[in-house]
Amino acid sequence: MSVHRTMAKLLVFCLMFGSAAAFWYLLRQSPPESTYSGSDSTWYAEAARRIDSLRKGWITIEVRDMQGRPLTGASVRLQMQRHAFIFGSAVSAQLLTGTDSTSARYRERVRQLFNRVTLENDLKWGPGSSKHHGIIVLRHFVHWTGYARSTFLSVAMRWYGDMSGRTTLCAITQRSQNVTAPRCECICRKKMTAVGDRVVEWDAINHIAAGGSRRLDQLYSPSFWLELLRLADSLRVPGQRLFVNEGRILITDRRNRRAAYYEVLRYLTEHEAPFDGIGMMGHFTPQTLTAPRRLWAILDSFAVFNRPILITEFDVRFGRQGEHYRLSPQEEALQAAYTRDFLTAMFSHPAVEGIILWGFWEGRHWYPSAALYRQDWSIKPNGRVWENLVFRQWWTDTTATTDARGRVLLRGFKGAYQLTVTYGALRHQESFSLTDSAVTRRVVFDASR
């Protein structure tokens, strides 16, 4: 809440209820200050060592003539095109496909900043039939589990009928309303086949551990999740991966869902459920920021399931949902510092394969305060952190010259590259990928010409 808005409301409360009531109102409206103090230099040094080991590999370029003799002094240019690690964001299909200038700018920033995208709401049942003009989509959910309230079954049936709500729990409707399995399968098939292979991953079950004692697996049986995953598995196209997803895993809060999520994952693993990865949301407020070493420890505990972990929804937010909250310089600095530490902690952990922001532009963000760019597209401090880490500090773009053996040996970040080799008037260009610990590319020139 901004200072001016708080003072205005405080004045109204003083006039209406007296100073004592106003004091208690102000106390309730002002959340405690963040206690996050960042990390020490030893952690940053350890993270840098991990990143060098996990995220980089050796690139060898050999340049020879037609007779196999090494060519010394050839110029080698390595330009990284895309990270192997996932750096993505939730995006709006409306803006991706729009024809106005705002949409054009939005699309250009998406191309520049991210190698994967999630359609935030456009694959939920209502707008799920949208055409996305060939854009490859990383993920969104097939089943949103929610949890069982007393009125859940009737609500689920109504949403099932018009497919306009968030819940896609056809299995609940099948059990409670005697809907046949073929019809249930048809509903899920419509969603998964409507976009085909343009979606490369699905959150097969979203919020799988939410709800406490009212969770759906407890209302029916633990095999409930197995049925949903097996159904999704039967409907996916070749190459698609299935994830389960949950929030409140990485935050510092007594209401976290770590234990519940761990038990669900343990059950699924023991029963050989068909899922390929573990999704963890990362919605933080100033009061729930978790220190990097603690983040590593949490990730270590879930790495025992031997599946990749994807951070599916990351943001550091202030204010309320939808509120255009104006951050103070101190709040912007805290947001940027934690963005730096969180990205570094995730990039340096072996179980993590990517980070998805839950929006990046203030003009289209569920919590505008969390955006990297303001409404006028000016960059915020957390946006500078993203650009500096992803495209400068963790990016390879270099030039070298072949040695007496006609070789260049470089260490680069894993990802897609463009290689350009020049020897006198001769020029060679190709694309390749570094996905393992090392790769070798051989270039042969007809030096007699």
Side-chain angles (χ1 to χ4, degrees), residues 134-180:
I135 295 172
I136 301 298
V137 181
L138 177 61
R139 64 195 309 105
H140 209 38
F141 68 86
V142 178
H143 306 100
W144 179 297
T145 69
Y147 48 84
R149 298 185 179 92
S150 58
T151 59
F152 182 83
L153 297 181
S154 60
V155 172
M157 187 59 189
R158 185 174 72 249
W159 283 347
Y160 177 97
D162 62 17
M163 295 197 301
S164 62
R166 301 197 311 181
T167 297
T168 58
L169 279 176
C170 50
I172 278 199
T173 311
Q174 177 185 341
R175 290 169 182 267
S176 61
Q177 301 292 340
N178 295 318
V179 175
T180 63

Side-chain angles (χ1 to χ4, degrees), residues 32 38 44 76 91 138 148 160 224 235 258 264 295 301 323 337 343 358 365 379 386 404:
Y44 290 117
V76 174
V91 297
L138 177 61
Y160 177 97
F224 183 83
L235 298 175
R258 286 192 283 272
V264 169
L295 289 172
S301 68
E323 178 186 4
L343 294 182
W358 206 239
H365 202 297
I379 192 169
W386 179 272

Side-chain angles (χ1 to χ4, degrees), residues 110-416:
V110 169
R111 294 190 190 99
Q112 292 172 350
L113 293 169
F114 310 113
N115 56 16
R116 301 284 182 92
V117 298
T118 291
L119 297 178
E120 182 178 10
N121 291 305
D122 303 282
L123 287 183
K124 295 178 181 177
W125 280 118
S129 59
S130 301
K131 302 292 185 182
H132 300 300
H133 301 282
I135 295 172
I136 301 298
V137 181
L138 177 61
R139 64 195 309 105
H140 209 38
F141 68 86
V142 178
H143 306 100
W144 179 297
T145 69
Y147 48 84
R149 298 185 179 92
S150 58
T151 59
F152 182 83
L153 297 181
S154 60
V155 172
M157 187 59 189
R158 185 174 72 249
W159 283 347
Y160 177 97
D162 62 17
M163 295 197 301
S164 62
R166 301 197 311 181
T167 297
T168 58
L169 279 176
C170 50
I172 278 199
T173 311
Q174 177 185 341
R175 290 169 182 267
S176 61
Q177 301 292 340
N178 295 318
V179 175
T180 63
R183 184 181 177 193
C184 171
E185 181 174 329
C186 179
I187 296 297
C188 294
R189 185 183 300 278
K190 180 174 182 179
K191 183 166 192 175
M192 293 187 70
T193 59
V195 295
D197 60 3
R198 284 175 290 178
V199 169
V200 298
E201 289 169 4
W202 286 104
D203 281 335
I205 305 177
N206 198 31
H207 286 299
I208 194 171
S213 61
R214 297 174 293 175
R215 272 189 3 219
L216 300 173
D217 59 334
Q218 296 179 359
L219 179 64
Y220 295 112
S221 78
S223 64
F224 183 83
W225 303 140
L226 298 177
E227 294 178 28
L228 291 183
L229 286 170
R230 287 166 182 161
L231 175 59
D233 180 50
S234 71
L235 298 175
R236 60 172 157 176
V237 301
Q240 280 180 340
R241 297 193 300 171
L242 301 179
F243 276 61
V244 294
N245 194 36
E246 188 51 88
R248 307 188 71 84
I249 307 302
L250 299 170
I251 62 171
T252 295
D253 192 291
R254 62 179 178 81
R255 297 167 297 174
N256 71 75
R257 298 185 185 126
R258 286 192 283 272
Y261 198 29
Y262 185 93
E263 287 305 310
V264 169
L265 291 170
R266 184 180 61 80
Y267 175 84
L268 295 178
T269 302
E270 289 177 351
H271 289 79
E272 300 180 348
F275 74 105
D276 305 296
I278 299 169
M280 293 183 181
M281 302 177 196
H283 297 299
F284 292 91
T285 67
Q287 293 76 45
T288 61
L289 304 178
T290 303
R293 289 192 185 277
R294 177 59 180 152
L295 289 172
W296 278 351
I298 295 170
L299 293 168
D300 286 344
S301 68
F302 285 88
V304 299
F305 297 112
N306 294 316
R307 286 174 171 84
I309 295 172
L310 183 65
I311 308 307
T312 57
E313 304 180 17
F314 173 66
D315 53 40
V316 181
R317 65 204 195 199
F318 296 78
R320 297 182 177 88
Q321 184 175 344
E323 178 186 4
H324 285 270
Y325 180 98
R326 294 294 102 188
L327 278 72
S328 69
Q330 294 78 15
E331 289 170 331
E332 285 194 340
L334 174 64
Q335 185 181 62
Y338 194 72
T339 299
R340 175 200 63 212
D341 291 354
F342 185 84
L343 294 182
T344 303
M346 298 303 104
F347 197 53
S348 60
H349 195 280
V352 179
E353 68 171 24
I355 302 166
I356 307 295
L357 303 177
W358 206 239
F360 69 99
W361 178 48
E362 187 180 18
R364 186 59 64 92
H365 202 297
W366 75 316
Y367 273 84
S369 63
L372 306 183
Y373 298 88
R374 301 182 182 91
Q375 182 77 35
D376 63 1
W377 292 100
S378 60
I379 192 169
K380 291 170 53 185
N382 60 333
R384 292 193 185 94
V385 166
W386 179 272
E387 291 191 5
N388 180 61
L389 290 179
V390 177
F391 300 110
R392 295 184 183 89
Q393 188 172 327
W394 299 336
W395 194 256
T396 302
D397 188 335
T398 187
T399 301
T401 302
T402 55
D403 59 18
R405 296 183 295 171
R407 296 178 62 190
V408 165
L409 179 63
L410 296 168
R411 193 153 177 80
F413 286 95
K414 295 176 182 178

